[in-house]
C-alpha cells in the first residue's frame, strides 16, 4: 500500500468522486480522500474546487488529518479568500488548545494563509502565542511575525509585534532567540534603516550565549546577525572571536562559513602583532580546506568565498595549495574555480608544482578547462617573475602538441608575457611563426599579428607574414583588422624602404574599403601621422609601452572589503555587491570592514580600470553624444584657425589636427615619398574628436592609441590589463588651446587656506561704467557662495542707489539679498561689498558654462557686464562619495564621458594636492600607489547635484599631473578641470 | 529564506513542488532547464542560477535535482546544506531516495517538508525529532494503521526539541544496551605518471550507532588524538573538553548518527595503500594501442585490499579493447569509452594485471589526452591515518553497555594519471 495509488485515478469524474469521499461519514475514507487531494496538489493539478469540502474536514481530533487539511489550506486559501474565513474559527480555537503542538501548528498555519481578512483575526492569537509558556509555541510565533510582516507590514508595526519580537532576543530558550533573530533579520531586510537589530554589548552577549545552545540553523542566523555588529575596540573584538571560533568545527558548512565571515570581519580590528591574531589565522585554514571535501555544490560556494579570502588574506591558505589541485571528475564549475585560486596562491615557493599541474590539465578533454589552464600558465609567468622562463618553456611544449585550441590559447598568453618581459623571450618567435596557419580564432590571430608587428625588426619575413594576413583583410574580424593595421604601420616605421607598398595597401584598405568607423579613423590618423611627420609617428606608434600589471583580475579593494562582509551570501558567489543584484526597492546598506587597529597597511594593488574591464563589458551606450560633440567642437576648433602657424609640433596629433583644420594640404607632401594625401571629406576634420568619443575597439596596444588620442581609457579596457598609466600621453593641445583666456582666471596669487578663490579682476572698467569701476571675484565661505566686489567711484559725482541683478545662468546663481551699499559712494572712494548668492535662481545653459551676466544699477545708469566664476565655488561640502558608490558610479559612467586633462608644472606632493583640493570641497576618497605613481580618486558635487568623479595621477618627480574626469554631465568637465588647475596652482 | 522546492527527475519532469511562502510558478524552472541543456554532463549544472526575480540553488543527488527557489539574499550554503538534509531524510525514511519512492510516499514527503521548514526557516531537521513527529512508513505500521485507523503522525510535542540536548529524546529504553562506532576513512589521492604522490588526503568519519537506555554520558578517547587537527563535530560533542583534553565527551543522540568527521591534510604524510604499474600507449600511425596495468599493495599493514574496482575513461578515438585480466572481469563500453575492471581482492603473491590491445578508429590521429585511472578499494580493520580509539567510558547510567569499534579504509577520489 503506497501513496502512488493516489496518482492512479485519472478518470473523468475524479473531482466529483473525491467530493463524495470527502463528505463521507467514515473517518478513514475522509482521510484517504484528503490524501488523494494532497497528492494531486503536489503534482500541480488544480483541486481548488474542493475547497469547502476539504475545509469541512478540518474540525477533527485526528492530528494527521488536521495537518493535511492545513497543507491544503495554505495552498489554496489565496484563491478562495471568502471560503478561507470559514477556517478562522477552528484556528482561533486551536490556538487555545492544551497541546502546545496544536497551538503552534495553528499559529504557524494561520501565518501561511496570505489572505488579508484572515490576518486581522490572527493578531490576537499571535499576541498570546508570543507570550506562551511553551518555548516551542514562542519560537513558532516569532517566525509568524515575519510572515505577517510580509503580508501586512503596517499591521505588524501598529500592533507592536516588533517590540515583542525584540524582547524575545532576551528569551531564556536559545531556540526562541535564534528564531527571533532570524525573523528580525528578515524584517530588517525590507527596512534597511529601521535599526531593528539594535546591537549593543548586552544583546551581543545574549546572542553569543544562545549561539552555543541552539540548532545549526539558528547558529547561522545568529552568526549572520553578529557579523553586522561593529565592536567598540579590539578587546571586545577578540572576545567575540574567541567565542565564535568553536563554530569552525561544526559539521554544517553553512555554520562554518558564517563563522568565517564573523572572524574575517572582526580580525580587521585586531592588532597584527597580537599573538591571538596569528592563532586565529592558523585556525581559519583547516575548516576552509574541509569544505573542499564536501559535495560539489558546497565546494563551489566555498571556492567562490575562498577566492575572496585569499585576496584579502593570502597568508591563511598559502600552504594549502595542494587541496586546490583539480581532480579529473570534478564538475567543470569546480575545476574552473580551483584553477583561479591556484593562480592566486602561486608563489615562488610552489610554482614548480603548480606548473606541473597546469601542464597536466592542458592535456585534459574539456576544451574550456584546457583553455583556462593554458591561460593560467601565462598568468603565473606574469605573476611570479622567477618562473617566467619555466612558463614559457611549458607553453612551448604545449605548442608542440599541435592541438589547435591549445596552440591558439598559448599564443595569446605569450603575447602577454612579451608585454610583461620585453626583450627577453623573443627567441620563441620562430616557433610561434611556424603555427601561423593553424590560427583560426580572431584573438589568437590578433595576438600573433601583434607579436609580428612588435618584433618586426627581428623577423626576417615579417612583411611576408603580414602580407599573407592582408589577403583576406575584409573577412577578418575588426579586432584582427585593427591589429593588422597597427602592425603594418609599425613594420613600416621599422623597415620603411621595403614595405611602402604594403603600408599603402593597408591604409587604403582601412580608409577606403572599410565601413567600420574605428578602423577608418585609425587608418586616417596613421596616414596623417605618417604623411606629416614620420618622426612624430615613430614616437607615437613605437612609444615605450608600460608593462602590464601582474594582477589583472583582482577585485577592487573597496569592493573586496564589502564582499568580505558578505561572505557566505549570494553576493560572495557572484562577487558583486548586493546592491548590484538584490531585487527591487529594498535599499541595501553597504557594509564595510571595521578599521584595523594600528596598521598603516597600504591598500592592495588592483586598479579600478581593470576591474571594470574584467567584470563586465562596459556599457556601450553614449548619452547625448551629439551635445557633447557640439560642445567640444565649439570649444576646440575655432581658436587654432585664428592663432596662425602653430609652434613646432611635439605631438603628432596636434600637427595633424592643425593641418586638417587649416586645410593646409600642401604641407602634407612631406620630405619622403609618401602616400598621396587623403581626399578630404566633409567629415574628416572631425575625425580626431569623433575618435575621442567613439566606443573603441578592443585593442592590444593601448599605448599606441593612447598616445594618439590622448588616452581614451575605453581603448585600454579592451585589453586585459590596461594600467591607467597607459593613457598618460602627450595630451592634445587643441582641446585646451582655445581656452587660454579662461586660464587667466586662475593666474595670480590665491588664498593660502580654505576654498580657493581667484584674485579680483576688473569686470566693469570705469570707461564703460560711466565712472563706476567694478572688480570682483567669487568665493565660497562656510558653505555660502559670495560675490565679492570692489566698487570704485572714478567719476566726479556721488553714486547712490546701487542694485544688482543676474541674468539666467547655468547653475541658477542669484543674489540671495540686495546689494548692501549703505552709504553713498563719493568720488575717488572704493567700497568692498560681499553679496551672498543662492543657487535657486532660474537656469539657462550658458556658453561658456560658467559665464554670468550681471546688471548693476546706480543713480546714473544701468551697466551690464559678464564675468566667469570658478566652478569650484559650486562644490558643496557634502561632496564626499562613499567608496562603493564611487566605484559603482565610476564603472557606471561610460568611458566615453571621461575627459582627461593635464596640469603642467604643479610641484605638489599627492598629499599636499589632496589637502589643497579638499579645501575646495574636492574630496579624496581613495589613494593608491602603482609604480611610483599616486592615484587619487576624488569626488565632488555641484550645487545642482551633479557628481563629478576624478582620478588624479601624480608621478613623483614629474610636475605634470593628469586628471581624468567622469561625470554624467560631461559638459562640466572642462570647467571642473579649470578649477582643478586653479586650485592646485595656488 | 527558502521559498519553494522543485524536484526534477533525469528526464526533466518536475514531479514534486512545495511552496513555503507564496506560490512560485513552476515556469521558473525553465531557467534551470536552460542551464541543464548547456551543461555537457548532468553534474555540470551550476549550483546557483540567477533568474530575473529569483535565484535557483540546486543539488543533484540520486539523479534527482532538488531545486530551491529563493528570492532574497540567503546564504547559498545554508540552502545547499538544507537540500542535502532533505535528501538524507528521505533516504532515512524510505530507504532509498528515488522518484518512485518519493511518489509512493508523497503524503509523508509533504508532511516532512512542512515540518522541516516554516516560512522558509528550518524547523526540525534532526532525524530523531522528525521521526517522533512523523513516523517512518513501515510495512507493519501501514498494515496496523489501515486496520486500526490510527495515524503515523505523532500527537505529542517531540521531547528533545527544546531541551538542552535537542538531539536526544527522553525515556529511551533498550533491553540490549549497545554502542558501536565505525571509523571510516576515505583516501583521496592524485598519483602522477611516475608513481609519486601529488596530493593525498584523508577524509575520516566516525559514525555511531548508539542504543543506550536513559541519558548516558559517553567519553571517547584516542591513542593519537594529535592526528585530529581539523575536525567537525556533531553538536552533541562538548567542544571545550575537546580543546582542553582532546577527549570526546557527549550525550549521544539515539540511534545512528555521525559523531565527527575529520580531515588529515596533505601536509601530514599519508600512506598510499596500493600502487599501479601502467603502460598505456598509442603509436603515431598505428591503429592499435597497448594497454598494460598491474596493481599491487603498498602500505597496508598486512591487511588485505578488497573490492578493488578500476575504471578509466579511455580516449574518444578508442573503438574497442581486447584485454586479458589475470583475475576478475572487465567491461568496456564502446559508447561512453568507459573501461571498468572488477578486480576483487589483491593477492600480494600473484598481482592482478590487465593486459592487451586497444583498437583505434582507422586513420584517426593519436589521441591527445592520457586516460586517468580511477581506483576503488576497501581495507578492513585499518584506518590508514593510524587513528586508534583508546577507550570508551559511560557515565550517568548504571548498566554495562556492550561496546564495539570497527575500522575501515576506502578509496575516495583515488586517481592515477598516466
Amino acid at each position: 500500500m503506497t501513496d502512488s495509488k493516489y496518482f492512479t485515478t485519472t478518470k473523468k469524474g475524479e473531482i466529483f468522486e473525491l467530493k463524495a469521499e470527502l463528505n463521507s461519514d467514515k473517518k478513514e475514507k475522509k482521510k484517504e480522500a484528503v490524501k488523494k487531494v494532497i497528492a494531486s496538489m503536489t503534482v500541480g493539478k488544480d483541486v481548488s474546487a474542493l475547497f469547502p469540502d476539504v475545509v469541512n474536514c478540518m474540525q477533527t481530533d485526528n492530528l494527521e488529518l488536521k495537518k493535511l487539511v492545513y497543507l491544503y489550506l495554505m495552498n489554496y486559501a489565496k484563491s478562495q479568500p471568502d471560503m478561507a474565513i470559514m477556517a478562522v474559527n477552528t484556528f482561533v480555537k486551536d490556538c487555545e488548545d492544551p497541546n502546545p503542538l496544536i497551538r503552534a501548528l495553528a499559529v504557524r498555519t494561520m501565518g501561511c494563509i496570505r489572505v488579508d481578512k484572515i490576518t486581522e483575526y490572527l493578531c490576537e492569537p499571535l499576541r498570546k502565542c508570543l507570550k506562551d509558556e511553551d518555548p516551542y509555541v514562542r519560537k513558532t510565533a516569532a517566525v509568524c511575525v515575519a510572515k505577517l510582516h510580509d503580508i501586512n507590514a503596517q499591521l505588524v508595526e501598529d500592533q507592536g509585534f516588533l517590540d515583542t519580537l525584540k524582547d524575545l532576543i532576551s528569551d531564556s530558550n536559545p531556540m526562541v532567540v535564534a528564531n527571533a533573530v532570524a525573523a528580525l533579520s528578515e524584517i530588517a531586510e525590507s527596512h534597511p534603516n529601521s535599526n531593528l537589530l539594535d546591537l549593543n554589548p548586552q544583546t551581543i552577549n545574549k546572542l553569543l550565549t544562545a549561539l552555543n545552545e541552539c540548532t545549526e540553523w539558528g547558529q547561522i542566523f545568529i552568526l549572520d546577525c553578529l557579523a553586522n555588529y561593529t565592536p567598540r575596540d579590539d578587546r571586545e573584538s577578540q572576545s567575540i572571536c574567541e567565542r565564535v571560533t568553536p563554530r569552525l568545527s561544526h559539521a554544517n558548512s553553512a555554520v562554518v562559513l558564517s563563522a568565517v565571515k564573523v572572524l574575517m570581519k572582526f580580525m580587521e580590528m585586531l592588532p597584527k602583532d597580537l599573538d591571538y591574531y596569528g592563532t586565529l589565522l592558523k585556525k581559519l585554514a583547516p575548516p576552509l580546506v574541509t569544505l573542499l571535501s564536501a559535495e560539489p555544490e558546497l565546494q563551489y560556494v566555498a571556492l567562490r568565498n575562498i577566492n575572496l579570502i585569499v585576496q584579502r588574506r593570502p597568508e591563511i591558505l598559502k600552504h594549502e595549495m595542494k587541496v586546490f589541485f583539480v581532480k579529473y571528475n570534478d564538475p567543470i564549475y569546480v575545476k574552473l574555480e580551483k584553477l583561479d585560486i591556484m593562480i592566486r596562491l602561486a608563489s615562488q615557493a610552489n610554482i614548480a608544482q603548480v606548473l606541473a599541474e597546469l601542464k597536466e590539465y592542458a592535456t585534459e578533454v574539456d576544451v574550456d578547462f584546457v583553455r583556462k589552464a593554458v591561460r593560467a600558465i601565462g598568468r603565473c609567468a606574469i605573476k611570479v617573475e622567477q618562473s617566467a622562463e619555466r612558463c614559457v618553456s611549458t607553453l612551448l611544449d604545449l605548442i608542440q602538441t599541435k592541438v589547435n585550441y591549445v596552440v591558439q590559447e598559448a599564443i595569446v598568453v605569450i603575447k602577454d608575457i612579451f608585454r610583461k618581459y620585453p626583450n627577453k623571450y623573443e627567441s620563441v618567435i620562430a616557433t610561434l611563426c611556424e603555427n601561423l596557419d593553424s590560427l583560426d580564432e580572431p584573438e589568437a590571430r590578433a595576438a600573433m599579428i601583434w607579436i609580428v608587428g612588435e618584433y618586426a625588426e627581428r623577423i626576417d619575413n615579417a612583411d611576408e607574414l603580414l602580407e599573407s594576413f592582408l589577403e583576406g583583410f575584409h573577412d577578418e574580424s575588426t579586432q584582427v583588422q585593427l591589429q593588422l593595421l597597427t602592425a603594418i604601420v609599425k613594420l613600416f616605421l621599422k623597415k620603411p624602404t621595403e614595405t611602402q607598398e604594403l603600408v599603402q595597401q593597408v591604409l587604403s584598405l582601412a580608409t577606403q574599403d572599410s565601413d567600420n568607423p574605428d578602423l577608418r579613423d585609425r587608418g586616417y590618423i596613421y596616414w596623417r601621422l605618417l604623411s606629416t611627420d614620420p618622426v612624430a609617428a615613430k614616437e607615437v606608434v613605437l612609444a615605450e609601452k608600460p608593462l602590464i600589471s601582474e594582477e589583472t583580475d583582482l577585485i577592487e579593494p573597496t569592493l573586496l572589503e564589502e564582499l568580505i562582509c558578505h561572505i557566505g551570501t549570494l553576493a560572495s558567489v557572484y562577487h558583486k555587491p548586493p546592491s548590484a543584484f538584490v531585487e527591487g526597492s529594498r535599499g541595501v546598506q553597504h557594509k564595510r570592514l571595521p578599521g584595523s587597529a594600528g596598521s598603516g597597511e597600504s591598500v592592495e594593488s588592483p586598479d579600478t580600470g581593470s576591474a571594470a574591464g574584467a567584470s563586465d563589458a562596459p556599457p556601450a551606450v553614449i548619452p547625448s553624444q551629439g551635445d557633447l560633440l557640439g560642445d567640444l567642437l565649439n570649444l576646440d576648433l575655432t581658436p587654432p584657425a585664428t592663432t596662425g602657424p602653430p609652434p613646432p609640433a611635439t605631438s603628432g596629433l596636434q600637427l595633424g589636427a592643425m593641418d586638417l583644420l587649416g586645410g593646409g594640404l600642401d604641407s602634407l607632401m612631406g620630405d619622403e615619398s609618401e602616400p598621396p594625401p587623403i581626399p578630404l571629406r566633409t567629415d574628416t576634420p572631425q575625425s580626431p574628436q569623433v575618435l575621442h568619443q567613439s566606443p573603441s575597439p578592443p585593442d592590444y596596444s593601448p599605448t599606441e592609441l593612447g598616445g594618439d588620442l590622448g588616452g581614451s581609457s575605453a581603448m585600454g579596457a579592451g585589453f586585459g590589463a590596461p594600467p591607467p598609466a597607459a593613457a598618460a600621453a602627450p595630451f592634445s593641445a587643441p582641446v585646451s588651446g582655445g581656452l587660454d583666456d579662461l586660464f587667466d582666471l586662475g593666474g595670480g596669487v590665491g588664498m593660502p587656506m580654505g576654498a580657493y578663490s581667484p584674485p579680483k579682476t576688473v569686470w566693469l572698467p570705469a570707461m564703460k561704467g560711466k565712472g563706476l569701476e567694478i572688480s570682483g571675484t567669487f568665493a565660497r565661505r562656510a558653505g555660502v557662495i559670495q560675490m565679492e566686489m570692489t566698487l570704485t567711484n572714478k567719476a566726479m559725482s556721488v553714486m547712490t542707489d546701487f542694485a544688482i541683478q543676474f541674468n539666467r545662468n547655468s547653475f541658477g546663481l542669484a543674489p540671495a539679498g540686495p546689494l548692501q551699499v549703505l552709504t553713498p559712494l563719493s568720488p575717488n572712494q572704493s567700497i568692498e561689498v560681499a553679496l551672498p548668492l543662492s543657487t535657486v535662481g532660474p537656469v539657462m545653459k550658458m556658453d561658456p558654462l560658467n559665464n554670468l551676466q550681471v546688471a548693476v544699477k546706480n543713480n546714473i545708469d544701468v551697466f551690464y557686464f559678464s564675468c566667469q566664476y570658478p566652478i569650484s565655488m559650486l562644490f558643496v561640502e557634502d561632496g564626499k562619495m562613499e567608496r562603493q558608490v564611487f566605484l559603482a558610479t565610476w564603472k557606471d559612467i561610460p568611458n566615453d564621458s571621461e575627459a582627461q586633462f593635464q596640469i603642467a608644472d604643479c610641484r605638489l606632493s599627492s598629499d599636499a594636492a589632496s589637502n589643497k583640493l579638499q579645501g575646495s570641497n574636492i574630496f579624496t576618497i581613495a589613494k593608491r600607489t602603482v609604480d611610483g605613481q599616486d592615484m587619487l580618486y576624488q569626488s565632488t558635487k555641484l550645487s545642482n547635484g551633479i557628481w563629478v568623479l576624478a582620478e588624479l595621477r601624480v608621478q613623483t618627480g614629474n610636475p605634470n599631473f593628469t586628471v581624468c574626469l567622469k561625470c554624467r554631465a560631461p559638459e562640466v568637465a572642462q570647467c571642473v578641470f579649470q578649477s582643478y588647475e586653479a586650485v592646485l596652482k595656488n | 529564506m527558502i521559498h519553494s522546492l522543485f524536484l526534477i527527475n533525469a528526464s526533466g519532469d518536475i514531479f514534486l513542488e512545495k511552496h513555503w511562502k507564496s506560490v512560485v510558478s513552476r515556469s521558473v524552472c525553465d531557467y534551470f532547464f536552460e542551464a541543464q541543456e548547456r551543461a555537457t554532463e548532468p553534474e555540470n549544472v551550476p549550483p546557483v542560477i540567477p533568474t530575473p526575480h529569483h535565484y535557483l540553488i540546486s543539488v543533484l543527488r540520486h539523479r534527482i535535482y532538488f531545486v530551491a527557489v529563493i528570492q532574497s539574499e540567503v546564504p547559498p550554503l545554508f540552502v545547499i546544506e538544507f537540500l542535502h538534509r532533505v535528501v538524507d531524510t528521505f533516504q532515512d525514511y524510505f530507504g532509498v531516495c528515488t522518484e518512485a519512492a518519493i511518489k509512493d510516499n508523497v503524503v509523508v514527503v509533504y508532511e516532512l517538508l512542512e515540518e522541516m521548514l516554516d516560512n522558509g526557516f528550518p524547523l526540525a531537521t534532526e532525524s530523531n525529532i522528525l521521526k517522533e513527529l512523523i513516523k517512518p512508513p513501515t510495512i507493519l505500521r501501514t498494515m496496523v494503521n489501515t486496520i486500526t485507523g490510527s495515524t503515523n503522525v505523532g500527537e505529542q510535542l517531540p521531547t528533545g526539541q527544546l531541551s538542552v540536548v535537542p538531539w536526544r529524546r527522553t525515556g529511551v529504553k533498550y533491553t540490549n544496551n549497545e554502542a558501536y562506532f565505525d571509523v571510516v576513512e576515505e583516501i583521496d589521492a592524485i598519483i602522477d605518471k611516475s608513481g609519486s604522490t601529488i596530493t593525498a588526503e584523508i577524509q575520516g568519519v566516525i559514525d555511531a550507532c548508539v542504543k543506550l537506555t536513559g541519558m548516558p554520558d559517553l567519553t571517547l578517547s584516542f591513542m593519537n588524538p594529535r592526528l585530529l587537527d581539523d575536525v567537525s563535530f556533531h553538536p552533541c560533542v562538548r567542544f571545550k573538553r575537546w580543546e582542553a583534553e582532546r577527549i570526546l565527551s557527549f550525550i549521544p543522540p539515539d540511534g545512528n548518527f555521525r559523531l565527527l568527521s575529520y580531515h588529515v591534510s596533505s601536509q601530514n604524510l599519508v600512506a598510499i595503500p596500493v600502487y599501479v604499474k601502467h603502460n598505456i600507449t598509442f603509436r603515431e600511425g598505428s591503429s592499435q594501442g597497448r594497454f598494460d596495468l598491474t596493481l599491487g599493495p603498498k602500505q597496508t599493514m598486512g591487511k588485505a585490499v578488497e573490492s578493488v574496482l578500476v575504471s578509466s575513461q579511455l580516449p574518444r578515438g578508442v573503438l574497442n579493447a581486447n584485454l586479458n585480466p589475470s583475475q576478475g572481469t572487465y567491461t568496456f563500453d564502446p559508447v561512453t569509452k568507459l573501461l571498468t575492471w572488477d578486480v576483487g581482492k589483491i593477492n600480494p603473491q600473484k598481482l592482478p594485471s590487465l593486459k592487451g590491445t586497444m583498437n583505434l578508429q582507422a586513420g584517426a590521429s593519436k589521441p591527445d589526452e592520457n586516460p586517468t585511472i580511477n581506483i576503488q578499494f576497501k581495507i578492513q580493520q585499518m584506518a590508514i591515518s593510524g587513528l586508534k580509539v583508546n577507550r570508551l567510558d559511560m557515565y550517568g547510567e548504571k548498566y554495562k553497555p556492550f561496546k564495539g569499534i570497527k575500522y575501515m579504509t576506502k578509496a575516495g577520489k583515488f586517481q592515477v594519471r598516466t
Side-chain angles (χ1 to χ4, degrees), chain A residues 309-345:
Chain A
I309 293 167
V310 293
Q311 286 185 57
R312 180 79 197 163
R313 300 203 177 276
E315 63 269 34
I316 294 178
L317 287 168
K318 67 176 175 215
H319 298 302
E320 302 288 349
M321 172 62 93
K322 283 184 174 177
V323 298
F324 298 103
F325 284 179
V326 172
K327 307 222 166 66
Y328 88 96
N329 45 5
D330 283 334
I332 182 76
Y333 55 84
V334 168
K335 283 183 178 176
L336 296 178
E337 289 305 318
K338 281 188 173 173
L339 206 53
D340 225 30
I341 294 172
M342 278 173 68
I343 299 163
R344 295 214 192 287
L345 290 177

Side-chain angles (χ1 to χ4, degrees), chain B residues 56-68:
Chain B
L56 305 179
I57 299 183
S58 62
V59 305
L60 172 68
R61 282 187 59 180
H62 307 290
R63 311 214 317 190
I64 299 172
Y65 291 101
F66 292 76
V67 184

Side-chain angles (χ1 to χ4, degrees), chain A residues 1-4 6-7 28 31 35 38-39 41-44 61-64 67-68 71 74-75 99-101 108 112 114 134-136 139-140 143 146-147 150 173 175 182-183 186 189 216-217 220-221 224 246 248-254 257 283 286-287 289-290 293 295 297-301 319-320 322-323 325-333 353 357 360-361 363-365 403 568-571 573-574 578 581-583 586, chain B residues 1 15-23 26 43-50 52-53 55 57-61 70-78 80-82 84-85 103-108 110-111 114-115 117-119 121-123 125-126 133-134 142 146 149-158 161-162 188 190 193 198-199 201 203 229-233 235 239 243 263 266-267 313 316 368-370 372 374 413 415 417-418:
Chain A
M1 283 257 302
T2 66
D3 293 353
S4 55
Y6 302 130
F7 292 108
E28 201 42 42
K31 201 169 85 185
K35 280 191 177 179
I38 300 280
M41 192 176 84
T42 55
V43 290
D61 302 331
N62 186 312
L63 193 60
E64 186 180 19
K67 275 190 169 181
L68 292 174
L71 277 176
M74 286 186 241
N75 230 13
N99 184 344
L101 193 61
R108 172 146 75 99
C112 293
R114 308 176 62 85
D134 194 300
Y136 182 75
K139 82 168 192 157
T140 314
V143 174
K147 292 181 197 169
D150 195 31
N173 186 293
M175 275 314 302
E186 192 177 76
E189 216 177 282
E216 46 196 319
W217 314 108
I220 300 170
F221 298 136
D224 285 347
L248 292 176
S249 301
H250 201 286
N252 186 320
S253 57
L257 206 56
K283 278 191 174 164
V289 171
T290 307
S293 53
E295 286 86 356
E297 299 92 2
L298 294 170
Q299 280 189 47
Y300 171 73
V301 177
H319 298 302
E320 302 288 349
K322 283 184 174 177
V323 298
F325 284 179
V326 172
K327 307 222 166 66
Y328 88 96
N329 45 5
D330 283 334
I332 182 76
Y333 55 84
Q353 247 181 344
E357 278 296 303
E360 194 69 42
Y361 303 159
T363 62
E364 283 214 26
V365 193
V403 180
T569 66
L570 281 174
V573 174
Y574 286 112
F581 62 87
V582 169
E583 271 260 304
R586 311 186 158 200
Chain B
M1 291 292 117
F15 66 92
L16 189 105
E17 59 182 289
K18 166 83 183 119
H19 308 277
W20 283 276
K21 292 182 163 186
S22 49
V23 177
R26 54 165 72 189
E43 56 269 21
N44 283 350
V45 180
V48 186
I49 301 170
H53 302 286
Y55 290 88
I57 299 183
S58 62
V59 305
L60 172 68
R61 282 187 59 180
I70 61 172
Q71 204 160 24
S72 55
E73 175 66 273
V74 178
L77 273 189
F78 165 98
I80 295 173
E81 277 279 358
F82 177 79
H84 283 301
R85 209 60 61 87
K103 277 188 166 168
D104 281 350
N105 297 290
V106 70
V107 176
V108 178
Y110 234 63
E111 285 171 341
E114 186 59 32
E115 220 42 75
L117 220 53
D118 176 21
N119 195 34
F121 298 111
L123 200 61
T125 51
E126 277 285 336
L133 283 166
I134 300 156
T142 348
T146 13
S150 63
T151 72
N152 59 354
V153 170
E155 304 266 334
Q156 290 307 312
L157 193 60
Q161 185 144 25
L162 288 159
D188 290 349
I190 302 177
K193 275 191 215 19
I198 291 177
T199 113
E201 51 190 8
Q203 317 289 345
D229 60 345
D230 180 5
V231 279
S232 311
F233 297 117
F239 189 72
E243 285 277 88
H263 178 247
S266 43
Q267 272 157 54
Q313 184 76 47
R316 264 168 296 188
D368 304 319
E369 73 267 14
N370 303 322
T372 304
N374 222 11
K413 286 185 170 176
Q415 309 184 343
R417 292 179 181 157
T418 62

Side-chain angles (χ1 to χ4, degrees), chain A residues 702-928:
Chain A
T703 12
E704 292 150 330
L705 261 189
D708 287 349
L709 299 177
S712 144
S713 76
M715 294 282 178
F719 185 77
F731 185 70
S732 51
V735 177
S736 49
L739 297 162
D740 288 345
D741 47 334
L742 292 182
F743 293 149
D744 290 348
L745 262 180
V749 198
M751 307 247 160
M753 296 252 295
Y756 162 71
S757 154
K760 286 187 177 172
T761 47
V762 176
W763 287 340
L764 181 72
M767 294 262 288
K768 282 187 179 171
K770 296 190 176 165
L772 174 66
E773 189 187 75
I774 302 179
S775 59
T777 183
F778 293 86
R780 187 183 182 91
R781 302 196 195 284
V784 180
I785 307 168
Q786 288 192 332
M787 185 173 179
E788 297 176 343
M789 290 180 289
T790 311
L791 309 178
T792 314
N793 185 351
K794 292 195 172 167
M796 305 305 286
S797 54
V798 175
M799 292 179 182
T800 54
D801 302 329
F802 284 95
I804 193 163
Q805 209 162 26
F806 293 174
N807 199 352
R808 288 193 286 171
N809 54 69
S810 314
F811 292 96
L813 283 174
L819 189 61
Q820 303 276 341
V821 185
L822 296 174
T823 49
L825 197 59
S826 13
N828 277 329
Q829 195 193 347
S830 325
I831 186 166
E832 303 271 351
V833 234
L835 176 72
L837 303 183
S838 70
T839 54
V840 293
V843 177
M844 185 178 79
K845 195 173 163 194
M846 300 296 291
D847 190 20
L849 213 56
N850 56 346
N851 198 14
L852 180 66
Q853 296 176 339
V854 187
V856 172
K857 183 191 96 91
N858 64 7
N859 56 340
I860 299 169
D861 204 342
V862 182
F863 308 102
Y864 298 96
F865 61 87
S866 64
C867 54
Q868 289 173 347
Y869 47 86
I871 208 163
S872 61
M873 67 173 201
L874 296 169
F875 296 168
V876 294
E877 274 69 24
D878 62 349
K880 184 154 189 167
M881 214 177 225
E882 281 282 336
R883 291 179 83 148
Q884 288 88 348
V885 183
F886 180 88
L887 189 75
T889 321
W890 183 272
K891 284 184 185 167
D892 204 21
I893 298 178
N895 285 336
D896 321 80
S897 314
E898 182 174 318
Q900 187 178 342
F901 305 94
Q902 288 239 313
I903 300 173
D905 243 343
C906 188
R907 305 193 181 279
L908 287 173
S909 73
S910 59
D911 285 345
S914 164
N915 281 339
K916 226 168 176 176
L917 290 167
Q918 173 121 17
S920 291
N921 293 340
I922 299 173
F923 298 94
T924 303
I925 289 163
K927 173 185 171 183
R928 64 194 183 82

Side-chain angles (χ1 to χ4, degrees), chain B residues 146-210:
Chain B
T146 13
I147 295 161
T148 61
S150 63
T151 72
N152 59 354
V153 170
E155 304 266 334
Q156 290 307 312
L157 193 60
T159 44
Q161 185 144 25
L162 288 159
S163 69
V164 257
V165 279
W167 53 86
R168 189 175 177 88
R169 61 195 170 102
T170 47
V172 186
K173 267 214 171 81
Y174 288 102
T175 40
N176 294 325
N177 287 297
E178 39 191 25
Y180 297 108
F181 293 86
D182 289 352
V183 180
V184 181
E185 295 192 338
E186 282 192 6
I187 173 162
D188 290 349
I190 302 177
I191 313 285
D192 78 358
K193 275 191 215 19
S194 57
S196 54
T197 311
I198 291 177
T199 113
E201 51 190 8
I202 296 167
Q203 317 289 345
V205 294
I206 301 185
D207 282 334
C209 175
V210 177

Side-chain angles (χ1 to χ4, degrees), chain B residues 271-274 296-306 345-349 378-384 388 409:
Chain B
I272 302 291
V274 293
K298 227 168 148 185
Q299 294 149 300
T300 62
M301 301 179 220
K303 302 282 193 293
V305 184
E306 299 169 335
K345 194 168 164 180
I346 296 182
N347 178 357
Q349 269 72 50
K378 271 185 196 160
I379 305 169
Q380 303 282 1
Q381 282 132 42
M382 178 188 80
I384 192 89
K388 264 208 140 56
T409 298

